[in-house]
Amino acid sequence: MVEHPHAALVRQGYEAFSRGDMNALRELMAKDATHHVPGSHPLSGDYKGQDAIIDMYGRLAEETNGTFRVELSSIAVDGRGHAVGVSRFTAERNGMRLDQTGCIVFRIVGDKVTDLDECVEDIDASNGFWS
């Protein structure tokens, strides 16, 4: 079975993120892409444009002393420009440990990601960890 192109794009993104290859991530995103981070903590909000998104990814690494990890579990597509990546993410920060399931809903136009809507399993735990 051949993987759907949108699933392949999302998989490439997770692999690039896990390698820390921000240049590869830039190639997968539209220049004006937006990543929406849920919650009410210092990293939550909307990051518009490749530079803002990549800077936020850098802050994830910085705030966790490089312990932030994402393990992709599955990808679902609708064939109309949406894909959902379900993953487990872990990190350590200020003596706390984060271990949750989450997902990102990707909007894809052509062969580029234009929008990333992040969801987390436990928003209160996420807010506590990042605050």
Side-chain angles (χ1 to χ4, degrees):
M1 184 167 133
V2 176
E3 187 171 46
H4 189 278
H6 293 162
L9 181 69
V10 168
R11 187 175 309 285
Q12 289 172 346
Y14 275 92
E15 289 169 356
F17 181 89
S18 292
R19 290 190 314 270
D21 189 345
M22 298 302 119
N23 289 331
L25 281 175
R26 284 180 190 279
E27 292 297 318
L28 303 174
M29 284 188 273
K31 292 195 183 312
D32 62 348
T34 303
H35 188 136
H36 308 275
V37 178
S40 58
H41 54 79
L43 288 175
S44 64
D46 298 331
Y47 295 85
K48 179 81 169 164
Q50 289 178 348
D51 290 340
I53 294 168
I54 298 299
D55 288 348
M56 184 266 293
Y57 294 164
R59 285 195 59 202
L60 294 174
E62 182 182 310
E63 292 286 332
T64 64
N65 293 319
T67 64
F68 190 86
R69 299 282 183 270
V70 176
E71 181 181 323
L72 182 63
S73 337
S74 63
I75 302 170
V77 299
D78 70 356
R80 297 175 295 130
H82 297 96
V84 179
V86 179
S87 64
R88 176 176 172 234
F89 54 97
T90 59
E92 295 177 11
R93 180 174 185 269
N94 298 331
M96 294 182 290
R97 179 154 172 76
L98 184 66
D99 186 344
Q100 285 196 28
T101 298
C103 72
I104 299 177
V105 179
F106 296 86
R107 173 73 174 132
I108 300 165
V109 176
D111 63 350
K112 301 285 185 190
V113 172
T114 62
D115 201 64
L116 302 91
D117 269 316
E118 192 175 324
C119 300
V120 296
E121 178 179 38
D122 185 338
I123 194 79
D124 293 329
S126 183
N127 285 334
F129 180 81
W130 294 109
S131 293

